[in-house]
Short mmCIF file of all heavy atoms in Angstrom, two decimals:
data_model
loop_
_atom_site.label_atom_id
_atom_site.label_comp_id
_atom_site.label_asym_id
_atom_site.label_seq_id
_atom_site.Cartn_x
_atom_site.Cartn_y
_atom_site.Cartn_z
N CYS R 154 -6.40 -4.52 -18.66
CA CYS R 154 -5.08 -4.64 -19.33
C CYS R 154 -4.59 -3.25 -19.71
O CYS R 154 -5.29 -2.49 -20.44
CB CYS R 154 -5.23 -5.51 -20.60
SG CYS R 154 -3.68 -5.64 -21.56
N LEU R 155 -3.41 -2.89 -19.26
CA LEU R 155 -2.90 -1.53 -19.52
C LEU R 155 -2.68 -1.30 -21.00
O LEU R 155 -2.94 -0.19 -21.49
CB LEU R 155 -1.60 -1.37 -18.73
CG LEU R 155 -0.89 0.02 -18.85
CD1 LEU R 155 -1.85 1.11 -18.44
CD2 LEU R 155 0.34 0.06 -18.03
N LEU R 156 -2.23 -2.30 -21.71
CA LEU R 156 -2.00 -2.10 -23.17
C LEU R 156 -3.29 -1.87 -23.86
O LEU R 156 -3.42 -1.02 -24.75
CB LEU R 156 -1.28 -3.31 -23.76
CG LEU R 156 -1.00 -3.25 -25.25
CD1 LEU R 156 -0.21 -2.02 -25.64
CD2 LEU R 156 -0.26 -4.53 -25.72
N ASP R 157 -4.37 -2.64 -23.51
CA ASP R 157 -5.68 -2.38 -24.08
C ASP R 157 -6.15 -0.95 -23.83
O ASP R 157 -6.70 -0.31 -24.75
CB ASP R 157 -6.68 -3.38 -23.52
CG ASP R 157 -6.52 -4.79 -24.07
OD1 ASP R 157 -5.78 -4.93 -25.05
OD2 ASP R 157 -7.10 -5.72 -23.47
N LEU R 158 -5.90 -0.50 -22.62
CA LEU R 158 -6.35 0.88 -22.26
C LEU R 158 -5.54 1.90 -23.13
O LEU R 158 -6.16 2.85 -23.66
CB LEU R 158 -6.10 1.14 -20.77
CG LEU R 158 -6.42 2.55 -20.28
CD1 LEU R 158 -7.89 2.89 -20.47
CD2 LEU R 158 -6.02 2.70 -18.78
N ALA R 159 -4.27 1.71 -23.27
CA ALA R 159 -3.47 2.64 -24.03
C ALA R 159 -3.95 2.66 -25.50
O ALA R 159 -4.07 3.72 -26.12
CB ALA R 159 -1.99 2.22 -24.00
N LEU R 160 -4.21 1.49 -26.05
CA LEU R 160 -4.69 1.42 -27.48
C LEU R 160 -6.05 2.06 -27.61
O LEU R 160 -6.33 2.74 -28.60
CB LEU R 160 -4.68 0.00 -27.94
CG LEU R 160 -3.33 -0.72 -28.01
CD1 LEU R 160 -3.49 -2.15 -28.42
CD2 LEU R 160 -2.38 0.02 -28.98
N ASP R 161 -6.91 1.92 -26.61
CA ASP R 161 -8.19 2.55 -26.64
C ASP R 161 -8.09 4.07 -26.59
O ASP R 161 -8.79 4.78 -27.31
CB ASP R 161 -9.04 2.06 -25.50
CG ASP R 161 -10.48 2.57 -25.55
OD1 ASP R 161 -11.17 2.25 -26.55
OD2 ASP R 161 -10.92 3.21 -24.60
N VAL R 162 -7.21 4.58 -25.77
CA VAL R 162 -6.96 6.00 -25.66
C VAL R 162 -6.48 6.54 -27.02
O VAL R 162 -6.91 7.60 -27.49
CB VAL R 162 -5.97 6.36 -24.53
CG1 VAL R 162 -5.52 7.79 -24.60
CG2 VAL R 162 -6.63 6.08 -23.15
N LEU R 163 -5.54 5.81 -27.60
CA LEU R 163 -5.03 6.23 -28.90
C LEU R 163 -6.12 6.29 -29.97
O LEU R 163 -6.22 7.22 -30.77
CB LEU R 163 -3.89 5.32 -29.36
CG LEU R 163 -2.57 5.42 -28.61
CD1 LEU R 163 -1.64 4.32 -29.04
CD2 LEU R 163 -1.94 6.78 -28.83
N ALA R 164 -6.99 5.25 -29.96
CA ALA R 164 -8.06 5.18 -30.91
C ALA R 164 -9.04 6.34 -30.73
O ALA R 164 -9.49 6.95 -31.70
CB ALA R 164 -8.81 3.86 -30.80
N GLN R 165 -9.43 6.65 -29.51
CA GLN R 165 -10.31 7.71 -29.23
C GLN R 165 -9.75 9.08 -29.59
O GLN R 165 -10.47 9.97 -30.05
CB GLN R 165 -10.73 7.73 -27.74
CG GLN R 165 -11.61 6.57 -27.34
CD GLN R 165 -12.13 6.70 -25.91
OE1 GLN R 165 -12.31 7.81 -25.44
NE2 GLN R 165 -12.35 5.59 -25.27
N ALA R 166 -8.42 9.22 -29.42
CA ALA R 166 -7.80 10.50 -29.78
C ALA R 166 -7.43 10.59 -31.21
O ALA R 166 -7.03 11.66 -31.70
CB ALA R 166 -6.55 10.65 -28.87
N GLY R 167 -7.53 9.50 -31.99
CA GLY R 167 -7.16 9.51 -33.37
C GLY R 167 -5.69 9.76 -33.52
O GLY R 167 -5.24 10.43 -34.48
N SER R 168 -4.91 9.18 -32.57
CA SER R 168 -3.48 9.48 -32.53
C SER R 168 -2.64 8.30 -33.03
O SER R 168 -3.02 7.13 -32.85
CB SER R 168 -3.09 9.76 -31.06
OG SER R 168 -1.65 9.84 -30.94
#
Side-chain angles (χ1 to χ4, degrees):
C154 175
L155 182 56
L156 179 56
D157 286 347
L158 176 62
L160 295 176
D161 185 59
V162 168
L163 288 173
Q165 290 187 31
S168 171

